[in-house]
Amino acid sequence: MGLTLDNDRFWRLIDQARRQAADPTDTEDIAARASTLLASLEPTEIIQAEQILWDLMTASYLSPLWAAAYQINGGCSDDGFDYFRAWLIAQGRTIFEQVINDPDSLADLPTVQQAAAKGRDLEGEAILTIVWNAYQTATGSELPHKAFTIRYPDLDPEWNFDFGDDERIAHRLPRIAALYPAGPAGQRSRS
């Protein structure tokens, strides 16, 4: 019977990639290292990693997290939210789980505080391709179509408001609002 890649092994792989990275805030380096680590696995395990990755993307598809990403990145499209959640995965399991349970806790992370101080966006688009790249490296072919499914849940209707509404954000995500205060004319201050 072949090996299986489960959530625990996936997270250990992400943690190993983070430890190997010269700068643990460099998501592209983490992604490259994670892809290399995945490429050393059996092809069936690599395919399993793609489903795990998208299950994590699904678990983090939450309105409060989208609102936090909107504040942190000064706006957040559908794609931008994907890239933000990929960045969150690159932070490792402990932070990922903490943040999906309490998106406002993002404001407590030194990486987010530094990004706020420097006006830098947080995104990790490269994380979304780690499995595709690993599979191609390991097998010389593309990841099979339909190797994974995505079933995003419905977003919480209680959060169906303009994420630029500073008053509502301050009430629901007070630490994020304090870290990213509104500037003149409702524009986010990026000083």
Side-chain angles (χ1 to χ4, degrees):
M1 181 177 259
L3 296 173
T4 60
L5 183 75
D6 61 13
N7 279 2
D8 291 334
R9 282 185 66 208
F10 181 86
W11 281 118
R12 284 194 300 270
L13 184 137
I14 294 295
D15 287 342
Q16 185 177 355
R18 285 182 58 75
R19 285 191 305 274
Q20 291 176 357
D23 176 359
T25 65
D26 184 346
T27 308
E28 287 191 23
D29 189 18
I30 294 167
R33 292 173 188 278
S35 187
T36 299
L37 292 167
L38 278 168
S40 70
L41 303 178
E42 294 296 321
T44 56
E45 293 176 292
I46 299 170
I47 291 170
Q48 291 165 350
E50 186 73 350
Q51 186 62 59
I52 292 168
L53 176 67
W54 286 100
D55 287 348
L56 294 172
M57 291 291 288
T58 298
S60 60
Y61 189 77
L62 305 166
S63 296
L65 185 59
W66 202 331
Y70 185 96
Q71 300 307 305
I72 290 167
N73 287 346
C76 192
S77 66
D78 292 349
D79 288 346
F81 190 42
D82 284 348
Y83 305 155
F84 182 84
R85 288 178 293 135
W87 168 85
L88 184 58
I89 290 168
Q91 304 314 297
R93 183 180 207 162
T94 301
I95 289 175
F96 178 86
E97 290 176 353
Q98 168 193 323
V99 168
I100 65 169
N101 288 316
D102 178 13
D104 204 27
S105 70
L106 281 159
D108 302 331
L109 300 176
T111 303
V112 175
Q113 294 168 357
Q114 292 166 4
K118 295 179 180 178
R120 200 175 64 236
D121 289 350
L122 297 175
E123 66 90 22
E125 181 179 5
I127 293 295
L128 299 178
T129 61
I130 62 174
V131 180
W132 286 88
N133 295 338
Y135 193 84
Q136 189 156 31
T137 298
T139 67
S141 60
E142 291 186 13
L143 192 68
H145 293 302
K146 299 183 183 182
F148 64 98
T149 58
I150 305 170
R151 292 185 193 95
Y152 285 142
D154 291 333
L155 291 169
D156 183 348
E158 292 292 317
W159 286 79
N160 187 17
F161 61 88
D162 178 1
F163 293 155
D165 183 333
D166 296 325
E167 188 175 313
R168 282 187 168 174
I169 292 298
H171 176 71
R172 293 176 183 228
L173 298 169
R175 292 177 286 173
I176 293 287
L179 193 58
Y180 290 90
Q187 297 298 312
R188 295 274 161 238
S189 174
R190 291 292 185 115
S191 52

Short mmCIF file of all heavy atoms in Angstrom, two decimals, residues 16-52:
data_model
loop_
_atom_site.label_atom_id
_atom_site.label_comp_id
_atom_site.label_asym_id
_atom_site.label_seq_id
_atom_site.Cartn_x
_atom_site.Cartn_y
_atom_site.Cartn_z
N GLN A 16 9.15 22.82 7.63
CA GLN A 16 10.52 22.54 7.19
C GLN A 16 10.96 23.55 6.13
O GLN A 16 12.08 24.07 6.18
CB GLN A 16 10.61 21.11 6.63
CG GLN A 16 12.03 20.70 6.27
CD GLN A 16 12.10 19.25 5.80
OE1 GLN A 16 11.13 18.51 5.82
NE2 GLN A 16 13.28 18.86 5.36
N ALA A 17 10.08 23.88 5.21
CA ALA A 17 10.40 24.89 4.18
C ALA A 17 10.65 26.24 4.84
O ALA A 17 11.57 26.97 4.44
CB ALA A 17 9.27 24.98 3.17
N ARG A 18 9.87 26.59 5.85
CA ARG A 18 10.07 27.86 6.57
C ARG A 18 11.44 27.88 7.26
O ARG A 18 12.13 28.90 7.25
CB ARG A 18 8.97 28.08 7.61
CG ARG A 18 7.64 28.50 7.02
CD ARG A 18 6.59 28.74 8.09
NE ARG A 18 6.99 29.76 9.06
CZ ARG A 18 7.01 31.06 8.83
NH1 ARG A 18 6.64 31.53 7.66
NH2 ARG A 18 7.38 31.91 9.76
N ARG A 19 11.80 26.75 7.88
CA ARG A 19 13.10 26.69 8.57
C ARG A 19 14.26 26.80 7.57
O ARG A 19 15.30 27.36 7.89
CB ARG A 19 13.23 25.40 9.38
CG ARG A 19 12.43 25.39 10.66
CD ARG A 19 12.79 24.21 11.55
NE ARG A 19 12.65 22.92 10.89
CZ ARG A 19 11.52 22.21 10.80
NH1 ARG A 19 10.41 22.68 11.35
NH2 ARG A 19 11.51 21.04 10.19
N GLN A 20 14.09 26.25 6.39
CA GLN A 20 15.15 26.28 5.37
C GLN A 20 15.29 27.65 4.72
O GLN A 20 16.36 27.99 4.22
CB GLN A 20 14.88 25.24 4.28
CG GLN A 20 15.02 23.82 4.72
CD GLN A 20 14.64 22.84 3.62
OE1 GLN A 20 14.21 23.22 2.53
NE2 GLN A 20 14.80 21.55 3.91
N ALA A 21 14.24 28.42 4.72
CA ALA A 21 14.27 29.73 4.06
C ALA A 21 15.22 30.67 4.80
O ALA A 21 15.24 30.71 6.03
CB ALA A 21 12.86 30.32 4.03
N ALA A 22 16.00 31.40 4.04
CA ALA A 22 16.92 32.37 4.64
C ALA A 22 16.15 33.44 5.41
O ALA A 22 16.60 33.91 6.46
CB ALA A 22 17.79 33.01 3.56
N ASP A 23 14.97 33.80 4.90
CA ASP A 23 14.12 34.79 5.54
C ASP A 23 12.73 34.18 5.66
O ASP A 23 12.05 33.97 4.65
CB ASP A 23 14.07 36.06 4.67
CG ASP A 23 13.13 37.11 5.21
OD1 ASP A 23 12.47 36.89 6.25
OD2 ASP A 23 13.03 38.18 4.57
N PRO A 24 12.27 33.86 6.87
CA PRO A 24 10.97 33.21 7.03
C PRO A 24 9.78 34.08 6.63
O PRO A 24 8.65 33.62 6.67
CB PRO A 24 10.93 32.83 8.51
CG PRO A 24 11.90 33.71 9.17
CD PRO A 24 12.95 34.07 8.15
N THR A 25 10.02 35.33 6.24
CA THR A 25 8.94 36.17 5.73
C THR A 25 8.91 36.18 4.19
O THR A 25 8.02 36.77 3.60
CB THR A 25 9.04 37.63 6.24
OG1 THR A 25 10.22 38.23 5.71
CG2 THR A 25 9.06 37.68 7.76
N ASP A 26 9.88 35.52 3.57
CA ASP A 26 9.97 35.46 2.10
C ASP A 26 9.11 34.30 1.59
O ASP A 26 9.58 33.17 1.50
CB ASP A 26 11.43 35.30 1.68
CG ASP A 26 11.63 35.32 0.18
OD1 ASP A 26 10.63 35.20 -0.57
OD2 ASP A 26 12.78 35.43 -0.25
N THR A 27 7.88 34.60 1.26
CA THR A 27 6.93 33.57 0.86
C THR A 27 7.37 32.87 -0.42
O THR A 27 7.13 31.66 -0.57
CB THR A 27 5.52 34.18 0.69
OG1 THR A 27 5.21 34.90 1.87
CG2 THR A 27 4.48 33.11 0.49
N GLU A 28 7.99 33.57 -1.34
CA GLU A 28 8.45 32.93 -2.57
C GLU A 28 9.53 31.90 -2.28
O GLU A 28 9.53 30.81 -2.87
CB GLU A 28 8.93 33.97 -3.58
CG GLU A 28 7.78 34.73 -4.19
CD GLU A 28 8.18 35.58 -5.38
OE1 GLU A 28 9.21 35.30 -6.01
OE2 GLU A 28 7.43 36.53 -5.67
N ASP A 29 10.43 32.20 -1.37
CA ASP A 29 11.47 31.24 -0.98
C ASP A 29 10.84 30.04 -0.28
O ASP A 29 11.18 28.89 -0.56
CB ASP A 29 12.52 31.91 -0.08
CG ASP A 29 13.73 31.04 0.18
OD1 ASP A 29 13.97 30.05 -0.57
OD2 ASP A 29 14.48 31.33 1.13
N ILE A 30 9.90 30.29 0.60
CA ILE A 30 9.20 29.19 1.29
C ILE A 30 8.50 28.32 0.26
O ILE A 30 8.58 27.09 0.32
CB ILE A 30 8.21 29.74 2.34
CG1 ILE A 30 8.96 30.44 3.47
CG2 ILE A 30 7.32 28.62 2.89
CD1 ILE A 30 8.07 31.28 4.38
N ALA A 31 7.84 28.94 -0.70
CA ALA A 31 7.14 28.17 -1.73
C ALA A 31 8.10 27.32 -2.55
O ALA A 31 7.83 26.14 -2.81
CB ALA A 31 6.36 29.11 -2.64
N ALA A 32 9.24 27.89 -2.94
CA ALA A 32 10.22 27.13 -3.72
C ALA A 32 10.74 25.94 -2.92
O ALA A 32 10.88 24.83 -3.46
CB ALA A 32 11.37 28.04 -4.15
N ARG A 33 11.02 26.17 -1.66
CA ARG A 33 11.53 25.08 -0.81
C ARG A 33 10.45 24.02 -0.56
O ARG A 33 10.73 22.83 -0.56
CB ARG A 33 12.09 25.65 0.48
CG ARG A 33 13.36 26.46 0.23
CD ARG A 33 13.84 27.19 1.46
NE ARG A 33 14.93 28.08 1.15
CZ ARG A 33 16.20 27.72 1.02
NH1 ARG A 33 16.54 26.46 1.16
NH2 ARG A 33 17.12 28.62 0.75
N ALA A 34 9.22 24.45 -0.36
CA ALA A 34 8.13 23.50 -0.16
C ALA A 34 7.92 22.65 -1.41
O ALA A 34 7.71 21.44 -1.33
CB ALA A 34 6.85 24.23 0.21
N SER A 35 8.02 23.28 -2.57
CA SER A 35 7.87 22.55 -3.83
C SER A 35 8.98 21.51 -3.99
O SER A 35 8.72 20.37 -4.39
CB SER A 35 7.87 23.54 -4.99
OG SER A 35 7.57 22.88 -6.19
N THR A 36 10.20 21.88 -3.63
CA THR A 36 11.32 20.94 -3.71
C THR A 36 11.10 19.76 -2.76
O THR A 36 11.34 18.60 -3.12
CB THR A 36 12.65 21.66 -3.38
OG1 THR A 36 12.86 22.68 -4.35
CG2 THR A 36 13.82 20.70 -3.38
N LEU A 37 10.64 20.05 -1.56
CA LEU A 37 10.37 18.99 -0.59
C LEU A 37 9.24 18.07 -1.08
O LEU A 37 9.34 16.85 -0.98
CB LEU A 37 10.01 19.58 0.78
CG LEU A 37 11.14 20.29 1.52
CD1 LEU A 37 10.60 21.11 2.68
CD2 LEU A 37 12.18 19.30 1.99
N LEU A 38 8.20 18.66 -1.64
CA LEU A 38 7.10 17.86 -2.18
C LEU A 38 7.56 16.98 -3.34
O LEU A 38 7.10 15.85 -3.48
CB LEU A 38 5.96 18.77 -2.65
CG LEU A 38 5.00 19.29 -1.60
CD1 LEU A 38 4.12 20.39 -2.18
CD2 LEU A 38 4.13 18.15 -1.06
N ALA A 39 8.45 17.51 -4.17
CA ALA A 39 8.92 16.76 -5.35
C ALA A 39 9.64 15.48 -4.97
O ALA A 39 9.76 14.57 -5.79
CB ALA A 39 9.80 17.65 -6.22
N SER A 40 10.12 15.40 -3.73
CA SER A 40 10.82 14.19 -3.28
C SER A 40 9.86 13.08 -2.86
O SER A 40 10.27 11.97 -2.58
CB SER A 40 11.77 14.52 -2.14
OG SER A 40 11.04 14.82 -0.96
N LEU A 41 8.56 13.38 -2.82
CA LEU A 41 7.55 12.40 -2.42
C LEU A 41 7.08 11.59 -3.63
O LEU A 41 7.35 11.93 -4.77
CB LEU A 41 6.36 13.11 -1.77
CG LEU A 41 6.65 13.99 -0.56
CD1 LEU A 41 5.37 14.66 -0.07
CD2 LEU A 41 7.31 13.20 0.56
N GLU A 42 6.33 10.54 -3.33
CA GLU A 42 5.72 9.75 -4.39
C GLU A 42 4.66 10.59 -5.11
O GLU A 42 4.01 11.43 -4.48
CB GLU A 42 5.05 8.50 -3.79
CG GLU A 42 6.02 7.51 -3.19
CD GLU A 42 6.95 6.90 -4.23
OE1 GLU A 42 6.49 6.61 -5.36
OE2 GLU A 42 8.14 6.72 -3.91
N PRO A 43 4.47 10.38 -6.40
CA PRO A 43 3.47 11.16 -7.14
C PRO A 43 2.08 11.15 -6.51
O PRO A 43 1.39 12.18 -6.50
CB PRO A 43 3.47 10.53 -8.53
CG PRO A 43 4.87 10.01 -8.69
CD PRO A 43 5.25 9.52 -7.30
N THR A 44 1.65 10.02 -5.95
CA THR A 44 0.33 9.98 -5.31
C THR A 44 0.27 10.90 -4.10
O THR A 44 -0.76 11.52 -3.85
CB THR A 44 -0.05 8.54 -4.88
OG1 THR A 44 0.97 8.02 -4.02
CG2 THR A 44 -0.25 7.64 -6.08
N GLU A 45 1.38 11.01 -3.38
CA GLU A 45 1.42 11.92 -2.22
C GLU A 45 1.39 13.37 -2.68
O GLU A 45 0.77 14.22 -2.02
CB GLU A 45 2.67 11.66 -1.39
CG GLU A 45 2.69 10.32 -0.71
CD GLU A 45 4.00 10.10 0.02
OE1 GLU A 45 5.05 9.97 -0.66
OE2 GLU A 45 3.97 10.07 1.27
N ILE A 46 2.06 13.66 -3.77
CA ILE A 46 2.06 15.02 -4.30
C ILE A 46 0.64 15.42 -4.68
O ILE A 46 0.18 16.52 -4.36
CB ILE A 46 3.04 15.16 -5.49
CG1 ILE A 46 4.47 14.82 -5.06
CG2 ILE A 46 2.97 16.56 -6.07
CD1 ILE A 46 5.46 14.69 -6.21
N ILE A 47 -0.06 14.51 -5.33
CA ILE A 47 -1.45 14.78 -5.71
C ILE A 47 -2.29 15.02 -4.46
O ILE A 47 -3.12 15.94 -4.42
CB ILE A 47 -2.02 13.63 -6.56
CG1 ILE A 47 -1.33 13.60 -7.93
CG2 ILE A 47 -3.54 13.77 -6.73
CD1 ILE A 47 -1.63 12.36 -8.75
N GLN A 48 -2.07 14.25 -3.41
CA GLN A 48 -2.80 14.43 -2.16
C GLN A 48 -2.53 15.81 -1.56
O GLN A 48 -3.42 16.43 -0.97
CB GLN A 48 -2.44 13.33 -1.16
CG GLN A 48 -2.93 11.97 -1.56
CD GLN A 48 -2.27 10.84 -0.79
OE1 GLN A 48 -1.29 11.03 -0.07
NE2 GLN A 48 -2.80 9.64 -0.95
N ALA A 49 -1.32 16.31 -1.75
CA ALA A 49 -0.97 17.63 -1.22
C ALA A 49 -1.82 18.72 -1.86
O ALA A 49 -2.15 19.71 -1.19
CB ALA A 49 0.51 17.91 -1.44
N GLU A 50 -2.17 18.56 -3.12
CA GLU A 50 -2.99 19.57 -3.79
C GLU A 50 -4.37 19.65 -3.13
O GLU A 50 -4.88 20.75 -2.90
CB GLU A 50 -3.12 19.26 -5.28
CG GLU A 50 -3.84 20.33 -6.06
CD GLU A 50 -3.04 21.60 -6.28
OE1 GLU A 50 -1.96 21.79 -5.68
OE2 GLU A 50 -3.50 22.44 -7.06
N GLN A 51 -4.96 18.50 -2.79
CA GLN A 51 -6.26 18.54 -2.12
C GLN A 51 -6.13 19.16 -0.73
O GLN A 51 -6.97 19.96 -0.33
CB GLN A 51 -6.87 17.14 -2.02
CG GLN A 51 -8.28 17.15 -1.45
CD GLN A 51 -9.25 17.92 -2.33
OE1 GLN A 51 -9.42 17.59 -3.50
NE2 GLN A 51 -9.87 18.96 -1.79
N ILE A 52 -5.07 18.83 -0.02
CA ILE A 52 -4.86 19.41 1.31
C ILE A 52 -4.72 20.93 1.21
O ILE A 52 -5.33 21.67 1.98
CB ILE A 52 -3.63 18.78 2.00
CG1 ILE A 52 -3.93 17.31 2.34
CG2 ILE A 52 -3.24 19.56 3.26
CD1 ILE A 52 -2.71 16.52 2.75
#
